[in-house]
Amino acid sequence: MKEAAYLRYVNEANGWLHEGRRSLIDRLLGFHLPLLDREREILELGAGVGQNIPTLARHGAVDALEIDPLGLAALRQRADLRTLLDQPIPCTLDRRYDLICAFDVIEHLEDDRGALRWIADHLHPGGLFLATVPAHPWFFTRHDVAVGHYRRYTAASFRSIVPDGLEWLSGSHFNTRLFPVAVAARALWVAKHRLLGTPPEDKQGVPGQGMAGRLLSSVFLDEVAGFTPQTRRRFGLSYYACLRKASAPGQGPGKAPNL
């Protein structure tokens, strides 16, 4: 990720967009984690500055993996983090987890298939993998370049990188109600920077703490409140998938959501 883009990301880490996603994460884990009846060990990949850790810590003991120096500095100050790993995946790791999370991380990895194989290898049988990724390849712009994305996903393209041994529990697009607003805002942002001829060093900003931020937060949180594992939305700013490692050898990835 470009330095200017990462600094903006750090400043936005506790804003409405991340708040809404944390609410969705908490809701999804509330549905799926009761399937695990033991004390849970959790790993968050690409933990950033730790904005998701308080949510994850409500569900178990949390380890984090991060490689950015600013993120590592922030994570080292956290008391609610058990272990901090500072190597990129795939790395040697002699432990397995009940839950591995990657929130807007997989799109930053050139070898996304290899990353999911590594994740599957480091889950206990029956363990869960919860991921969010940016949606719709046609929406790939200079914003994605600035934040270090290799790609955006469709439901089908994410399904295509899932290795044998991971089975689908649920998946859907989300941040659907605000998606038309996001498309319009991104188009204007791209047009402005093309007109000015500025290099793609910075990401598009997100409205902050004012009236606009409160309104956007209200819309997003209301959408999240209606989510269930059966929710299937065909479009949205992002896509999530919740997968479970098969308990028996030879089980495949299961049937993907019909999206």
Side-chain angles (χ1 to χ4, degrees):
M1 188 182 297
K2 308 286 187 181
E3 183 177 359
Y6 195 85
L7 289 171
R8 188 184 288 273
Y9 157 80
V10 169
N11 290 332
E12 295 168 352
N14 290 310
W16 68 271
L17 185 60
H18 290 273
E19 177 192 9
R21 191 173 63 180
R22 286 191 295 271
S23 179
L24 177 62
I25 291 165
D26 199 35
R27 186 169 179 83
L28 293 170
L29 292 180
F31 288 125
H32 292 303
L33 275 180
L35 296 172
L36 301 171
D37 57 3
R38 57 185 177 268
E39 185 176 350
R40 302 164 190 133
E41 294 186 304
I42 300 169
L43 174 64
E44 183 182 7
L45 303 176
V49 294
Q51 64 272 16
N52 301 313
I53 290 173
T55 298
L56 296 175
R58 291 199 288 271
H59 299 276
V62 183
D63 294 348
L65 183 148
E66 179 56 59
I67 59 173
D68 187 273
L70 289 176
L72 287 169
L75 290 166
R76 289 187 179 110
Q77 305 304 313
R78 301 198 66 94
D80 52 358
L81 185 62
R82 185 179 65 175
T83 304
L84 178 58
L85 308 170
D86 61 358
Q87 301 177 66
I89 62 170
C91 61
T92 301
L93 185 60
D94 60 354
R95 64 178 67 170
R96 291 186 177 184
Y97 291 90
D98 300 301
L99 170 66
I100 296 179
C101 301
F103 303 128
D104 284 16
V105 171
I106 302 301
E107 68 276 6
H108 291 270
L109 305 177
E110 187 170 8
D111 184 8
D112 53 355
R113 294 175 185 270
L116 264 67
R117 288 193 298 270
W118 184 94
I119 289 165
D121 288 343
H122 289 85
L123 282 170
H124 287 298
L128 302 182
F129 172 47
L130 179 60
T132 64
V133 292
H136 306 299
W138 58 263
F139 198 41
F140 193 97
T141 68
R142 60 191 297 154
H143 166 86
D144 295 275
V145 175
V147 298
H149 291 174
Y150 281 96
R151 65 196 74 80
R152 301 178 74 94
Y153 290 89
T154 65
S157 66
F158 190 84
R159 171 68 176 79
S160 73
I161 68 172
V162 175
D164 288 345
L166 289 180
E167 57 185 14
W168 284 89
L169 293 179
S170 64
S172 175
H173 291 89
F174 65 95
N175 210 343
T176 297
R177 295 178 185 175
L178 293 173
F179 188 52
V181 177
V183 171
R186 182 69 52 82
L188 289 172
W189 181 83
V190 169
K192 172 186 173 183
H193 285 274
R194 283 180 177 169
L195 182 64
L196 295 175
T198 54
E201 297 293 327
D202 199 3
K203 67 185 287 293
Q204 182 185 11
V206 177
Q209 301 299 321
M211 183 179 295
R214 291 193 294 273
L215 176 60
L216 295 170
S217 176
S218 176
V219 173
F220 193 7
L221 290 174
D222 186 64
E223 176 185 322
V224 167
F227 253 87
T228 73
Q230 290 72 44
T231 298
R232 300 288 184 268
R233 295 199 166 106
R234 294 184 178 275
F235 66 93
L237 194 60
S238 300
Y239 181 79
Y240 93 84
C242 187
L243 310 168
R244 176 170 54 195
K245 184 170 182 176
S247 297
Q251 280 189 247
K255 184 178 179 181
N258 183 23
L259 289 175

